[in-house]
Amino acid sequence: MSDDRSENPAENTPKQTPEPSGVDLARVALRAAKEQARARGDAARQKKQARRGGGLRSGARADGRDPLALGAAINRLITERGWETPAAVGGVMGRWPQIVGDDVAKHCVPEKYDEDERILFVRCDSTAWATNLRLLAPTLVARLNEDLGHGAVRQIRVNGPGGPARRYGPLRAPGSTGPGDTYG
């Protein structure tokens, strides 16, 4: 019978690596502990950087975390929200007497601004002043656009005086709109 085994018994046994001794086991354990500690340290460092705002370090120079002055914070908010035109028109409402003159400002007051239509609504205290302001409207629109930027105000809507509150009751004429009939 033929045997595939050779005559040397050392060649027949599979090669085995020697079992690690105590010193080798200690080295393997130490290496694994260091890797785990490094991983925990990296995770903690990343968590700290996330809390601090992406790893920015505090220092003597200004960075994005410094407090802003009130005016700068308001300007930043206006820019971020896209409120430049309404804020500028609000400033015009505060400077109304300087823009139109004291005489007109005594009798005509800006009420509101429609941002979508770019219309400024102005209320006058009499129909005569309302008519006067309607005649001045193109000049006033040009002056406002000069101050605010081209196209900020397209039109000025002039409203006459508001009449007294409507009274309802039995002593009314049919079809009458009340005291508002005389205002135009």
Side-chain angles (χ1 to χ4, degrees):
M1 281 198 156
S2 109
D3 206 345
D4 286 341
R5 294 183 194 183
S6 65
E7 301 295 320
N8 188 353
E11 291 177 5
N12 291 336
T13 59
K15 293 185 179 178
Q16 294 179 356
T17 56
E19 287 290 321
S21 66
V23 174
D24 292 330
L25 286 173
R27 281 186 187 135
V28 170
L30 180 62
R31 188 177 305 127
K34 283 182 177 180
E35 287 174 8
Q36 288 175 354
R38 188 175 301 119
R40 280 194 309 267
D42 288 343
R45 192 175 311 111
Q46 287 174 352
K47 208 182 279 186
K48 264 187 191 176
Q49 286 178 346
R51 267 187 276 149
R52 274 194 270 152
L56 295 175
R57 299 198 182 265
S58 180
R61 292 183 182 81
D63 62 13
R65 300 175 300 146
D66 288 341
L68 293 174
L70 181 61
I74 290 173
N75 288 337
R76 184 170 160 187
L77 179 68
I78 287 171
T79 303
E80 286 174 357
R81 302 284 172 111
W83 296 339
E84 290 94 356
T85 303
V89 172
V92 164
M93 290 183 181
R95 294 181 290 121
W96 183 252
Q98 290 126 5
I99 293 171
V100 297
D102 290 332
D103 200 29
V104 175
K106 287 178 188 174
H107 302 283
C108 304
V109 179
E111 284 189 329
K112 68 178 182 174
Y113 175 71
D114 184 1
E115 185 179 356
D116 297 329
E117 300 293 323
R118 293 186 282 190
I119 297 174
L120 180 65
F121 292 88
V122 180
R123 167 107 25 222
C124 296
D125 62 1
S126 71
T127 54
W129 278 104
T131 303
N132 188 18
L133 195 64
R134 282 187 192 104
L135 294 172
L136 291 173
T139 307
L140 192 54
V141 167
R143 195 178 305 166
L144 288 170
N145 283 330
E146 215 175 87
D147 193 30
L148 299 173
H150 183 67
V153 178
R154 264 198 259 162
Q155 182 182 7
I156 293 180
R157 286 244 175 100
V158 181
N159 298 320
R166 297 177 96 185
R167 295 193 179 112
Y168 298 97
L171 300 176
R172 300 210 21 102
S176 167
T177 58
D181 280 345
T182 59
Y183 297 112

